[in-house]
Amino acid sequence: MTSPPWLRAGHGGGVPLRLLEGHHTMNIALWAAQFVLAFVFLVSGTCKSLWSKERLVAAGQTGVQFFPLPAIRLIAASELLAVVGVTLPWLIDVAPILTPLAAVGLGVVMIGATTTHIKLREPKNIVITCVIFVVCVFVAIGRFVDVAREAGAVT
């Protein structure tokens, strides 16, 4: 089953939407994962951009206590840029390689977060960051495969 022409990437007129293209079940799962990552990091990055370190720790982002505020703000900016990178390039079919690269970047952030929560002996936060890491890996691998498929390297 192919997508209607107006939903196919590269169709003239309007924004090319990739939401329903490709291997449908996997594509839907990947989009769901991308939107979960976007939501999680939009909230996290916004909070880290606006809140004090004390408020972040009180809200459960305990890992920030080891970092100076400028580093927290840099992490926030990185997370917010990754929100755009994990969704927009794939959605509009402009530099789609940026989507799996953004997922890799978020995965690296989650490795750091998990390490911090291990040091703090916070099992709940360790599990949460590990689950988010797995979602990052899923999106990265899935979208790298799609990029390779589009390039003709994978069938």
Side-chain angles (χ1 to χ4, degrees), residues 62 66 114-126:
T62 55
F66 297 116
T114 301
T115 303
T116 300
H117 292 301
I118 289 170
K119 288 179 186 176
L120 291 170
R121 298 175 192 245
E122 298 175 329
K124 178 183 170 189
N125 288 346
I126 293 167

Side-chain angles (χ1 to χ4, degrees), residues 38-59:
F39 176 76
V40 166
F41 286 100
L42 179 63
V43 171
S44 177
T46 301
C47 292
K48 287 179 183 139
S49 295
L50 302 174
W51 292 358
S52 68
K53 186 191 299 192
E54 294 75 22
R55 185 169 178 193
L56 288 166
V57 171

